[in-house]
Amino acid sequence: MRSFASAPLLGLWFAFLALPFAGWRGALWTGLACAALVAAARTLGRVLRAEPVARRLAMAQEAIGESWEFMLRGTRDWRVAALVLLGLVAFPWVLDRYKTDVLVVAGIYVMLSLGLNVVVGFAGLLDLGYVAFYAVGAYSYALLSTWYGLSFWPGLLGGAALAAVFGILLGIPVLRLRGDYLAIVTLGFGEIIRIVLNNWDDVTRGPNGILGIGRPHLGDFRFSQPMHFFYLVLALCLITMFIVGRLNRSRIGRAWAAMREDESAAECMGVNLVHAKLLAFAFGASWAGLGGVVFAAKQTFVSPESFAFFESVIILCMVVLGGMGSVPGVVLGALILVALPEALRELTLFRPMILGGAMVLMMVMRPRGFLRERGLRLAEGALPPGVPREEGR
Amino acid sequence: MLELEDVHFYYGRIHALQGVSLKVPAGRVVCLIGSNGAGKSTTLMAVSGVHAIARGAVRFEGRPIHGLPPDQIVRLGISQVPEGRRIFPLLTVLENLEMGAYLRRDAGEVERDLDQVYSLFPVLHERRRQRGGTLSGGEQQMLAIGRALMARPRLLLLDEPSLGLAPMLVEAIFGALGRIREQGTGIFLVEQNAHVALGFADWVYVMETGRIVMDGPPEELRRSPAVREAYLGE
Ligand SMILES: Nc1ncnc2c1ncn2[C@@H]1O[C@H](COP(=O)(O)OP(=O)(O)OP(=O)(O)O)[C@@H](O)[C@H]1O
Ligand SMILES: [Mg+2]
């Protein structure tokens, strides 16, 4: 009962806070609403944690994770992989233009979240300004395309390279920072980039944005339909998944994992922390750069609005929701968080609330995401079949 | 093999090492004892390059190594078992050991050293697929030592390996250290447990508030009234 006692107290507190702004009546209502909300949340929490409900919820989540993993395991067999690929290739022929376009957006987010996963999931560096690199990629291509008529493919490389450079620029001052401090500085960095884009009228045209960005073409073929972009993004996503997955199992991947768990111990093992951190920032940023170039080319228009702080939050949510450090998990997280708002079109107003609620629920029920990272090299695969995975939940 | 000469180190304004000089001859076990906060861990970190010293010199096999970054020092053949073990809790035992060999490129030899570590600490082999964080304190200490050995060091730095362990386990750990010594690896050991340290070391240094106040072979220190009173509790 103790937990309910706090509801009226919290209500009273919020009424007090609201008093100067809302007057007596407003304060009264605020207080009542707060008390009711707290009581409702407590009840909901109790119901969710109650044995049968909690078990079912956990089972449902487990099922999502397991079936996703089952599908992925299947793709190790080349025949299944070919079938899945065929299915993906067929998508734009089955879906309408709008849905295909949504999938293109989803693909861009998959690239972004995989890139952020390198920084946050692999290396354990909390970056709240990741969208800045997305902006760098998008704007560098926008400017190069409109000023010099640079075509898409070199622009793709240029955007990724420039984003990597910005990753290092951010990395150098924050080498010594950890945890909360790192988060704050990266957040500031993201905002600085957006504010510069918004105010440097001569170059970026400020809030008006840049129009008339060139679309990609391959020889004489011009990318114009959502379907064309779908194939482009699909290819880039597969490449990203492949490289990021390989990276996790590589030497530098191991160095990141060690650094994430214990920086000083990693240093004692001979991990060069400066190199490892800068590589993580640069490498993570370069995927955002790629995504930004694709975004700019698809929209043919960029403005600072697309690179608000909330984007960083969403991308971070994708990483956390799917399971930090797990490549398939992060892909799943990105797909869910793009699909969810689409499914809830009519409830536009409530979307942030539902998103927040989903995240809270997730953190309570399955704090390590749908798919937990499975150690590095030998924790997985080397286990003979039938041996349960250790590590308690 | 290892030589510190008039080493000074500051944490901000705290003068933690006030001119430390000591020697660890090749293949020998040298122990540093001293009370809490004397600067023992700081001395080890000055050797391993985690702390950059303010004055003085650290030489390994005649070559100055102060100013080198930690990874270079590991490469030269000095590896450290840090205070409080600091294993990687979410990595498996095997992955922890592999991290110890992070800088090595000779995969075949690494395999052999892995077998060596397993024969030194069979329990690590049993638990090789278990996450490091799920091991008991004693097993974690073994893992920390094994991990440091995977770098194939010529000098092993150990910071209080007996900390918080039951006497049986302390014995087991020091038994293993004895075998490491037999293979010709130099050991520079920091200990609070002076009984154990004096029984194991070839030479002992006593540290107080950032200074070496006494040194000698263990038999000699055991006779010293000051040491008996302060460190052996007699
Ligand atoms: N990071 C730090 N910042 C500031 N002062 C420190 C720091 N680490 C250690 N000190 C101080 O330096 C002195 C020496 O510390 P050190 O850790 O080397 O002692 P120690 O001999 O290893 O002690 P113990 O036996 O308790 O491990 C102490 O006075 C300690 O308070
Ligand atoms: Mg200490």
Side-chain angles (χ1 to χ4, degrees):
Chain A
M1 236 36 235
R2 205 178 65 90
S3 59
F4 284 100
S6 62
L9 280 176
L10 276 169
L12 210 62
W13 174 239
F14 274 91
F16 173 70
L17 287 180
L19 195 55
F21 312 104
W24 288 106
R25 278 171 71 90
L28 182 68
W29 283 116
T30 310
L32 284 177
C34 278
L37 258 177
V38 171
R42 288 267 150 78
T43 316
L44 184 68
R46 188 158 299 184
V47 170
L48 286 181
R49 249 171 314 194
E51 187 47 35
V53 182
R55 207 177 48 224
R56 252 174 239 149
L57 266 174
M59 264 159 58
Q61 287 175 330
E62 188 86 17
I64 296 177
E66 295 274 305
S67 49
W68 179 254
E69 221 173 277
F70 178 76
M71 275 162 42
L72 289 163
R73 257 204 303 279
T75 57
R76 294 223 184 105
D77 184 345
W78 68 268
R79 280 162 301 189
V80 181
L83 219 63
V84 169
L85 202 63
L86 213 67
L88 286 172
V89 168
F91 261 147
W93 300 89
V94 186
L95 303 173
D96 57 27
R97 285 175 52 117
Y98 176 74
K99 293 213 176 82
T100 308
D101 201 51
V102 170
L103 281 180
V104 173
V105 174
I108 294 178
Y109 277 110
V110 166
M111 287 165 64
L112 290 173
S113 51
L114 283 173
L116 182 61
N117 183 43
V118 170
V119 184
V120 179
F122 292 173
L125 304 163
L126 184 52
D127 183 350
L128 289 184
Y130 187 66
V131 77
F133 306 122
Y134 185 38
V136 167
Y139 267 85
S140 59
Y141 176 60
L143 293 174
L144 288 169
S145 164
T146 52
W147 287 357
Y148 304 111
L150 187 81
S151 65
F152 176 76
W153 306 104
L156 202 56
L157 292 182
L162 207 64
V165 169
F166 271 78
I168 291 175
L169 285 183
L170 166 67
I172 290 170
V174 301
L175 277 175
R176 294 185 169 280
L177 302 182
R178 292 180 200 190
D180 327 359
Y181 300 102
L182 178 65
I184 290 168
V185 175
T186 52
L187 191 158
F189 178 77
E191 284 301 282
I192 289 171
I193 297 279
R194 191 180 61 77
I195 289 167
V196 167
L197 293 177
N198 214 1
N199 291 285
W200 198 4
D201 289 338
D202 299 340
V203 176
T204 66
R205 295 166 189 245
N208 296 330
I210 297 173
L211 282 161
I213 302 166
R215 292 200 140 142
H217 50 86
L218 257 180
D220 283 338
F221 176 76
R222 306 191 67 81
F223 288 66
S224 50
Q225 302 293 316
M227 182 193 280
H228 305 153
F229 281 97
F230 175 83
Y231 291 124
L232 173 69
V233 166
L234 178 61
L236 286 174
C237 281
L238 290 177
I239 294 172
T240 313
M241 283 176 71
F242 178 74
I243 296 184
V244 170
R246 285 309 278 283
L247 204 68
N248 193 21
R249 278 177 269 276
S250 70
R251 224 174 108 75
I252 183 70
R254 286 200 288 153
W256 284 334
M259 184 172 84
R260 176 186 67 207
E261 302 224 340
D262 190 328
E263 241 178 53
S264 348
E267 197 176 24
C268 285
M269 300 300 107
V271 172
N272 186 322
L273 295 181
V274 174
H275 290 182
K277 285 189 182 180
L278 290 185
L279 257 172
F281 276 118
F283 197 81
S286 63
W287 296 112
L290 278 186
V293 174
V294 174
F295 175 76
K298 168 179 147 347
Q299 304 282 335
T300 69
F301 166 72
V302 292
S303 74
E305 225 177 286
S306 310
F307 309 106
F309 170 61
F310 196 62
E311 287 293 307
S312 291
V313 174
I314 295 271
I315 302 168
L316 187 64
C317 285
M318 292 170 174
V319 174
V320 173
L321 182 76
M324 256 194 272
S326 149
V327 170
V330 169
V331 172
L332 180 67
L335 294 180
I336 289 179
L337 283 195
V338 174
L340 194 68
E342 289 304 323
L344 303 170
R345 274 268 150 218
E346 305 83 63
L347 302 170
T348 316
L349 209 58
F350 295 100
R351 265 200 261 161
M353 209 169 102
I354 293 171
L355 179 65
M359 289 305 293
V360 170
L361 204 64
M362 197 63 198
M363 289 302 102
V364 173
M365 307 299 303
R366 207 176 168 91
R368 293 180 63 191
F370 276 115
L371 298 182
R372 276 154 293 129
E373 201 234 347
R374 287 280 144 73
L376 292 179
R377 253 190 332 164
L378 293 141
E380 172 192 36
L383 279 178
V387 174
R389 292 208 175 84
E390 64 285 309
E391 188 227 33
R393 261 189 220 126
Chain B
M1 182 184 223
L2 178 77
E3 191 182 355
L4 275 71
E5 192 183 314
D6 191 33
V7 169
H8 290 259
F9 177 79
Y10 298 81
Y11 287 108
R13 270 204 219 99
I14 301 171
H15 197 173
L17 300 184
Q18 312 178 4
V20 174
S21 301
L22 55 82
K23 274 188 190 140
V24 183
R28 290 303 168 83
V29 177
V30 170
C31 184
L32 184 61
I33 60 175
S35 51
N36 288 106
K40 306 181 296 294
S41 300
T42 309
T43 308
L44 285 192
M45 301 216 261
V47 174
S48 64
V50 175
H51 290 335
I53 61 175
R55 208 143 32 91
V58 181
R59 279 185 285 271
F60 184 58
E61 298 177 330
R63 183 183 157 192
I65 58 166
H66 53 276
L68 291 183
D71 53 311
Q72 292 291 339
I73 290 175
V74 176
R75 250 188 209 110
L76 288 176
I78 300 181
S79 74
Q80 185 177 12
V81 180
E83 188 169 19
R85 304 166 195 136
R86 308 198 79 138
I87 52 143
F88 303 113
L90 292 180
L91 303 193
T92 64
V93 168
L94 179 54
E95 286 162 350
N96 265 280
L97 292 173
E98 286 179 336
M99 257 334 278
Y102 174 72
L103 288 175
R104 292 174 59 181
R105 305 267 180 186
D106 46 344
E109 293 289 295
V110 169
E111 255 345 277
R112 277 191 31 203
D113 288 352
L114 190 60
D115 287 338
Q116 286 246 325
V117 169
Y118 283 153
S119 72
L120 203 56
F121 302 112
V123 65
L124 294 184
H125 184 255
E126 270 166 47
R127 310 222 183 271
R128 64 193 180 281
R129 307 221 181 284
Q130 202 167 313
R131 300 216 181 221
T134 63
L135 298 186
S136 75
E139 290 162 351
Q140 289 190 10
Q141 187 63 61
M142 293 176 196
L143 179 56
I145 295 173
R147 187 180 64 176
L149 287 176
M150 288 300 289
R152 194 177 270 190
R154 274 170 296 153
L155 177 65
L156 186 62
L157 309 178
L158 287 147
D159 200 340
E160 302 202 28
S162 72
L163 191 72
L165 299 186
M168 282 257 296
L169 275 170
V170 174
E171 220 166 273
I173 298 263
F174 274 84
L177 290 180
R179 269 183 287 156
I180 294 167
R181 177 227 304 255
E182 278 161 25
Q183 286 160 10
T185 308
I187 295 180
F188 184 27
L189 170 74
V190 162
E191 259 303 350
Q192 287 242 1
N193 187 336
H195 285 284
V196 176
L198 291 177
F200 185 63
D202 298 316
W203 197 267
V204 179
Y205 287 89
V206 182
M207 187 168 214
E208 263 167 36
T209 56
R211 285 201 185 85
I212 301 290
V213 292
M214 198 188 306
D215 72 303
E219 313 81 61
E220 191 182 307
L221 290 200
R222 232 186 240 118
R223 284 196 298 269
S224 139
V227 169
R228 291 173 76 119
E229 191 188 341
Y231 300 108
L232 296 173
E234 287 166 13

